[in-house]
Amino acid sequence: MHPSLRLCASAAPRQPLIHFAGKRQWKSKAPRPHPLATPDLKSAFTDSLRKTQASVSESSVVDKGSSSAGPAQSQAKGENAQVFGNFWEAPERYWKHDLEEWEVDLVATGGASRFA
């Protein structure tokens, strides 16, 4: 049996039909509100951005500090939030429990069942 010309022509490497323009890079500019946003939305955007940046910088300070400094800082701010590294360190009410059969059925039907 002789190979056909079509098979020989397809031996060339495949060229994808889609081409991306330029390299994939993240923007280095800080986020800003839309130019046509109302003034109250612009101020809300800047407030939320400021809070986000403060929480990110605060969490990095807590992560870099010693483990004993973390709870002291959170109590000084009046927060009761604790971070647990493992689930068994948290109170038992937050542990994962086995699901009942009716809960499995509810999830399997997407919530559209006779229980809803």
Side-chain angles (χ1 to χ4, degrees):
M1 182 181 248
H2 300 286
S4 67
L5 293 176
R6 177 122 177 121
L7 290 175
C8 292
S10 67
R14 183 181 167 278
Q15 292 292 326
L17 297 176
I18 187 170
H19 300 283
F20 296 101
K23 293 183 178 182
R24 298 178 195 171
Q25 296 177 344
W26 294 100
K27 294 181 181 179
S28 60
K29 297 179 182 177
R32 58 184 184 271
H34 192 275
L36 299 178
T38 60
D40 58 331
L41 288 178
K42 287 182 181 181
S43 65
F45 179 83
T46 55
D47 291 343
S48 65
L49 184 63
R50 190 178 310 115
K51 288 178 185 177
T52 303
Q53 290 172 346
S55 67
V56 167
S57 64
E58 181 180 299
S59 66
S60 65
V61 168
V62 171
D63 291 343
K64 290 178 185 177
S66 64
S67 60
S68 62
Q73 289 178 349
S74 65
Q75 289 175 357
K77 294 184 179 184
E79 298 175 3
N80 293 331
Q82 292 181 345
V83 179
F84 301 102
N86 299 308
F87 75 91
W88 58 83
E89 296 171 352
E92 188 174 352
R93 65 177 181 245
Y94 297 123
W95 294 4
K96 294 180 183 178
H97 294 285
D98 293 333
L99 297 175
E100 300 291 329
E101 188 64 32
W102 67 270
E103 293 173 314
V104 173
D105 292 338
L106 190 66
V107 171
T109 60
S113 68
R114 65 177 194 263
F115 298 114

